[in-house]
Amino acid sequence: MNEVTHLKPRRRGRTRWFIAGAVLVVVLGTSSVVILTRVSSATPVQEAAPPPVETAEVVKADLREEEEADGTLGYGDESTVAGRKPGTITSLPDAGATITRCKPVYGVDAKPVPLFYGTLPFYRDLAVGADDGADVKQLEENLKACGFGGFGAPDKKFTSATAAALKKWQKSLGLGQTGTFGQGDVVLAAGELRVSALGAKLGSPAQGEVLKTTGTVRSVQVKLDAAKQSLAQQGAKASVTINGKMTPGTITDVGRTAVEGKDGAGQDDGKPKITVTVRLDDPAAAGSLDSAPATVRFTKDVHQGVLAVPVGALLALAEGGYAVEVDDNGKRRYVAVRTGLFSGGKVEVTGSGLTEGMRVVTTS
């Protein structure tokens, strides 16, 4: 596109009116009428200087196309801890408490039920003579982490050394030193837990729901349309807005299972959703809130090193398309432009002779 002088931006046309030198004023009662006459070309008038205009620099920038989705700040989905040990519940943690490996989660018959880390459920009792298995290795890994070793590197074999370490662990908890491990002797989780709610009371039977837990790190979960899954890439950055404050985050998990979608009123909106988890880069940015609505911006596209001007610099042309008004030290000229990506109040532009550093007239 070439610079042209015949461009007619729609926003520039103005008709100036002045009060004529001879103005007829008619006073009737309490009313008055002032008649305005367009200035004749033959009438010499001292026209006021045009007001100064606001200009902005043409810059090179990286523009991002983004899409927003609603989310919720919290500690993630809840999990239920069910008691597997017969007896009576005699101690419970406080809601909101954080529990780490080897520490008691709750108590049964005045004996602690501690937390072990792992992902393979303990599906059988273990003792000397048990078949080799990954559950044995998981038990030994936890015993060693709690300070009770002596069996060498954790492996799949339950030996007399494993039983000896188990007896020492049982003694430290005030348990019977049997050297055998029962399926309900511990609570198993992938990592440390936060107690979100209590499901039982002191004196309740120990077999059944005891409490609910979540992870310990606050994050934002977004129910994203499954059709837009490509917006969220694990490890990619996203911006999160909580209580009007924007903070950066990192996408830590992108769901692969779509579920029935709900709208803001909780009604089915007919669009399958996946869950996307975004962890705040600065956890303190959310303050002391345990839960809050949030907005997440995902980046769809990035145009790097493009010429950009404020959106307010665009002039709609009568013949179609856009132009910008270049200001060269007070001399103004119009340059037709093609627009590209719009982002953050700026727009990508290309035009003949338009270069970085030029100044353009703008309304914002």
Side-chain angles (χ1 to χ4, degrees):
M1 290 188 180
N2 297 321
E3 176 188 336
V4 285
T5 57
H6 65 276
L7 297 179
K8 295 180 179 179
R10 293 176 183 167
R11 78 174 190 191
R12 300 300 182 192
R14 297 188 181 91
T15 301
R16 292 185 173 85
W17 293 83
F18 298 86
I19 300 179
V23 177
L24 174 62
V25 180
V26 180
V27 179
L28 297 174
T30 59
S31 301
S32 63
V33 179
V34 179
I35 300 176
L36 301 184
T37 304
R38 192 169 187 178
V39 177
S40 168
S41 60
T43 305
V45 175
Q46 185 67 37
E47 187 170 343
V53 295
E54 184 178 350
T55 64
E57 186 177 0
V58 179
V59 298
K60 272 193 175 179
D62 295 342
L63 298 187
R64 298 174 181 272
E65 184 180 8
E66 298 176 322
E67 184 161 333
E68 290 187 347
D70 293 332
T72 303
L73 172 72
Y75 288 92
D77 294 334
E78 285 187 323
S79 297
T80 298
V81 172
R84 303 172 66 187
K85 198 177 184 77
T88 301
I89 292 178
T90 52
S91 65
L92 288 167
D94 294 328
T98 297
I99 302 172
T100 57
R101 177 153 59 181
C102 308
K103 301 299 183 182
V105 179
Y106 63 100
V108 176
D109 294 344
K111 305 295 183 184
V113 180
L115 177 65
F116 274 10
Y117 290 173
T119 56
L120 175 65
F122 286 115
Y123 58 92
R124 58 177 177 160
D125 294 341
L126 296 173
V128 174
D131 293 339
D132 295 353
D135 53 343
V136 177
K137 183 179 180 181
Q138 184 172 262
L139 171 63
E140 290 187 342
E141 288 172 341
N142 280 279
L143 289 173
K144 193 167 187 176
C146 294
F148 302 93
F151 42 71
D155 57 22
K156 296 181 178 182
K157 297 181 181 297
F158 195 110
T159 65
S160 58
T162 306
L166 193 54
K167 288 180 180 179
K168 292 177 182 178
W169 172 72
Q170 290 169 331
K171 182 178 180 180
S172 73
L173 297 177
L175 303 174
Q177 300 169 51
T178 63
T180 62
F181 179 79
Q183 301 173 41
D185 287 349
V186 298
V187 171
L188 188 68
E192 61 184 17
L193 299 176
R194 171 183 172 273
V195 179
S196 57
L198 299 179
K201 297 180 180 180
L202 297 179
S204 299
Q207 291 180 315
E209 181 180 326
V210 178
L211 46 85
K212 292 183 181 295
T213 65
T214 65
T216 58
V217 178
R218 286 178 302 176
S219 58
V220 173
Q221 288 197 329
V222 177
K223 300 301 182 182
L224 187 67
D225 289 352
K228 298 179 179 179
Q229 185 181 30
S230 60
L231 284 177
Q233 301 295 324
Q234 188 163 336
K237 292 293 183 182
S239 60
V240 181
T241 301
I242 302 171
N243 280 345
K245 182 179 179 181
M246 184 177 293
T247 187
T250 302
I251 299 172
T252 57
D253 185 68
V254 180
R256 297 184 179 276
T257 302
V259 297
E260 180 180 277
K262 303 290 183 181
D263 59 19
Q267 301 298 315
D268 182 8
D269 65 1
K271 297 178 180 178
K273 308 286 186 182
I274 59 170
T275 300
V276 177
T277 303
V278 181
R279 180 173 295 182
L280 303 182
D281 291 352
D282 177 13
S288 59
L289 297 173
D290 282 348
S291 179
T295 301
V296 177
R297 275 189 191 170
F298 298 99
T299 299
K300 294 177 65 176
D301 194 11
V302 179
H303 290 194
Q304 296 182 321
V306 298
L307 292 180
V309 298
V311 173
L314 290 180
L315 302 170
L317 300 176
E319 58 268 36
Y322 293 96
V324 294
E325 188 176 2
V326 176
D327 187 309
D328 286 333
N329 296 320
K331 292 182 63 177
R332 298 178 199 162
R333 54 192 172 88
Y334 297 113
V335 176
V337 295
R338 291 187 299 272
T339 59
L341 195 151
F342 287 75
S343 175
K346 293 186 180 295
V347 57
E348 175 187 355
V349 291
T350 54
S352 179
L354 195 66
T355 60
E356 181 182 10
M358 285 182 170
R359 299 199 71 83
V360 293
V361 177
T362 182
T363 60
S364 60

